[in-house]
Amino acid sequence: TPSPQRKSKQKMAAEPFAWASDERLLLRVAPDAPLALRGAVTLRCIKGAAACHGHVLRHNQTVRAHATSPALVLRYERAGDEVLDDAPAWLTNAPVVVEVTAATNQQLAVTEAPDVANIVRFEGVAVAPVTHAATWRPLAEPEPWREAALRFASINSVMALGAQNAGKSTLCRYLANASTQKVALLDLDCGQPLSGPPGFVSLRLLDGPFLAETAADGNFERRIYLGATTPSDAPDAYVAA
């Protein structure tokens, strides 16, 4: 006979988190139950507030997002009391609800998401509980990153240094998304820039969340082509830039 604790876990795992109509997908975002998301989408929080890679999506706010691998993660931020129409009871009673629609004019191809347990698909978008989506490599948000975001709010500049594939670019995007101010992003990684082709160093101004590559493509203040993907191959041009 399963223990009461085991029964509780089984019940929680069986609770629905998604409801689809012809035009949109509604997601229930509960505390301690984040959702992994892949695809090119538009997100709108219609109840409460949710967090996505550092950015707090407040009631009725809309953002574009795009993720293949690693996957974006929707997290509970704050419960709301807004009333939902034309939705099942289990969803109207949810603390946070996010509306997902397929992004229009999204310039990035959607990569098909591998099947995982409890996956929900909707017009090229795939959503699953983070606990079941390890193969999608959902973006982690370590506690030190959250502490760094709080400190970033009260200082003027940050430099990210670290070994290759340590997560420098991901951290910079997280800090930019968490900021409530306009952020200037100086990208000195000419081999693996945050967006765009390699071989450039660039300066961009971000006046909104950086959840899709195309969200920053038109915000270059300056971009300099080096003709190399490592500073050692063009040291003079790199320093001059």
Side-chain angles (χ1 to χ4, degrees), residues 27-234:
L27 300 178
R28 172 185 183 269
V29 186
D32 302 319
L35 302 174
L37 183 148
R38 288 181 59 152
V41 299
T42 297
L43 303 174
R44 183 170 73 97
C45 198
I46 60 176
K47 185 177 182 180
C52 185
H53 196 44
H55 176 68
V56 177
L57 188 63
R58 296 176 174 82
H59 179 244
N60 265 340
Q61 183 186 8
T62 300
V63 297
R64 284 192 309 154
H66 178 276
T68 52
S69 180
L72 288 172
V73 177
L74 278 174
R75 303 179 188 274
Y76 170 93
E77 179 70 21
R78 184 174 60 255
D81 56 5
E82 294 83 7
V83 177
L84 302 183
D85 297 324
D86 301 325
W90 64 265
L91 191 58
T92 59
N93 294 329
V96 176
V97 179
V98 176
E99 177 190 74
V100 179
T101 54
T104 57
N105 300 322
Q106 180 63 271
Q107 299 174 9
L108 296 175
V110 177
T111 300
E112 184 69 15
D115 282 330
V116 296
N118 287 7
I119 188 173
V120 172
R121 298 184 184 275
F122 177 80
E123 296 187 359
V125 180
V127 185
V130 166
T131 52
H132 297 157
T135 56
W136 295 2
R137 297 172 54 231
L139 284 167
E141 295 182 13
E143 188 60 33
W145 284 23
R146 300 183 186 186
E147 296 173 1
L150 293 175
R151 295 183 61 186
F152 184 44
S154 60
I155 58 180
N156 293 327
S157 60
V158 171
M159 177 180 289
L161 302 173
Q164 188 175 9
N165 295 323
K168 301 182 296 297
S169 297
T170 305
L171 172 59
C172 287
R173 286 179 60 168
Y174 179 85
L175 293 177
N177 288 338
S179 176
T180 58
Q181 308 294 324
K182 181 175 286 189
V183 175
L185 179 61
L186 180 61
D187 193 346
L188 301 177
D189 188 345
C190 54
Q192 293 180 311
L194 279 167
S195 70
F200 290 85
V201 293
S202 63
L203 175 66
R204 286 176 290 183
L205 294 181
L206 305 178
D207 54 6
F210 191 179
L211 297 174
E213 297 287 343
T214 51
D217 280 351
N219 294 337
F220 286 102
E221 287 292 304
R222 192 173 184 188
R223 184 160 59 168
I224 300 175
Y225 180 63
L226 301 179
T229 56
T230 60
S232 60
D233 289 342

